[in-house]
Amino acid sequence: MNFHLFLLSSAFVTVSGQLDKVAKEAGLLYFGTAVDNPSLNNQNYLRIARDPAEFGSLTPANGQKWSNTQASQGRFTYGSGDAIANIARQTGQQLRCHTLVWYNQLPGWDTVSSVYSRDQMQQIITAHIQNVAGHYKGRCYAWDVVNEAMEDDGRYRNNPMYRAMGVDYITHSFKVAQQTDPAAKLYYNDFNIERCCNAKINATIAMIRTVKAAGAPVHGIGMQGHSRVGMSPSKREMKETMARFSELVDEVAFTEVDIRHTKLPIGAAEREQQGKDYMEVVGACLETPKCVGITVWDFTDQYSWIPQQYPGEGEACLWDRNYNKKPAYHSIVGLLQSAASSGLRKPATPAPAAAVAVTAA
């Protein structure tokens, strides 16, 4: 079955294959997952997460965020992030690092409760990035340098960093990240920038242009990809967005994909629709030359963030709570296999060792 026929078929059958293996055969650099620390004592979970044929890339879901790395000003701890980074080092999986500057999950000492001058904020951002990105230097394929800086209506998010420095906090963050880890791909990451073409997408493009014009490197744009079953962006809409982003940066990626059901329990029709929605994401990436990979925001419903954030919604992941693969999993594998056999893209070549260095001490 060729690639285009596969998209037109139901294709919700069990197939044999593993996500990262077939993703690479289809021409992507990786298929990855986020991993969070509460799951690390679960052997059923680890058996899947540590399998490089299933997931070629790991992202610490929370362990590298500000509140977990600098809970007290000037005191840096890396245990949570290292626990996941060390898995990637042991298994040869790529490490995709997340995130250096974000308005959320900030510790109590800093910009949440205090007002800083421009110079003070610049010093705080510099110290944080130099320490955190410096600790992981040479081990991250990519860093989400700045996360969620824009509101949905296209305004800059009025976060403490923006209040102190304006858009210059973004420019400064990217410059310091490059100085600290020159080999890492540096990304801007956000949600609701998948469906072309809304105010947030237009504002993101303008922001990236401003930051790059000021001399900062922005290598990639990450589209988080959190969506709802039956209401997800179409492949066409996502391709249009990525085409616009591709004019500005070296690569794009889906970085936090999950597609949740808005009403539970669900039936076969809802599971089939979820599979179709996941296929739209994967198909859009495959048909966009600069789209390098896809990361799901954890792979099992047991550790999904959705039920807590959106009560009454859930079952957003590719495995259920009991570690059974869902129809969506088999749909993705089948689509990737079809793309590989059709020669849609050339098989991926490994990223340069200097950019990944997952075996570095």
Side-chain angles (χ1 to χ4, degrees), residues 113-343:
S113 57
S114 303
V115 177
Y116 290 100
S117 69
R118 178 186 180 89
D119 288 346
Q120 288 173 322
M121 180 61 72
Q122 183 167 308
Q123 292 170 9
I124 288 169
I125 291 173
T126 299
H128 185 74
I129 294 176
Q130 286 179 341
N131 277 276
V132 177
H135 178 78
Y136 293 102
K137 182 178 180 179
R139 298 176 66 181
C140 301
Y141 167 77
W143 263 110
D144 290 329
V145 177
V146 175
N147 198 46
E148 300 175 4
M150 310 303 297
E151 298 280 9
D152 284 349
D153 63 5
R155 291 177 296 119
Y156 283 97
R157 192 179 294 277
N158 188 29
N159 61 43
M161 293 77 75
Y162 183 78
R163 289 196 294 272
M165 297 183 64
V167 69
D168 290 348
Y169 92 85
I170 303 174
T171 303
H172 180 69
S173 297
F174 276 95
K175 286 182 177 179
V176 176
Q178 184 190 45
Q179 293 164 2
T180 304
D181 190 356
K185 301 285 188 179
L186 306 181
Y187 270 68
Y188 174 73
N189 190 56
D190 214 330
F191 62 93
N192 288 350
I193 57 169
E194 300 87 14
R195 191 193 303 272
C196 192
C197 286
N198 58 37
K200 190 171 189 177
I201 290 170
N202 293 333
T204 297
I205 288 170
M207 179 269 289
I208 297 295
R209 285 177 173 153
T210 297
V211 169
K212 294 188 72 173
V218 182
H219 304 127
I221 297 175
M223 300 162 292
Q224 293 182 11
H226 302 294
S227 61
R228 297 176 172 89
V229 172
M231 295 178 275
S232 299
S234 69
K235 182 179 71 169
R236 177 188 58 79
E237 290 170 323
M238 290 182 281
K239 285 178 60 180
E240 289 179 6
T241 299
M242 287 189 284
R244 295 185 68 190
F245 288 161
S246 294
E247 296 175 357
L248 300 174
V249 293
D250 299 333
E251 58 186 54
V252 295
F254 289 98
T255 55
E256 304 184 18
V257 179
D258 51 31
I259 304 178
R260 64 187 183 270
H261 296 279
T262 56
K263 294 182 181 180
L264 302 173
I266 60 170
E270 289 81 12
R271 293 186 183 92
E272 181 172 328
Q273 183 61 52
Q274 184 182 53
K276 290 178 179 178
D277 291 342
Y278 266 105
M279 288 170 65
E280 292 289 283
V281 174
V282 176
C285 188
L286 286 168
E287 294 183 25
T288 300
K290 286 189 176 182
C291 187
V292 296
I294 298 162
T295 298
V296 292
W297 208 240
D298 226 318
F299 62 88
T300 170
D301 293 334
Q302 182 176 9
Y303 294 108
S304 173
W305 69 296
I306 294 296
Q308 182 176 1
Q309 185 71 22
Y310 301 99
E313 304 184 19
E315 299 191 21
C317 300
L318 298 178
W319 278 257
D320 67 20
R321 295 181 61 86
N322 297 315
Y323 297 91
N324 299 306
K325 296 172 181 175
K326 297 181 185 178
Y329 173 95
H330 298 292
S331 299
I332 292 172
V333 170
L335 176 58
L336 290 168
Q337 289 174 333
S338 180
S341 65
S342 72

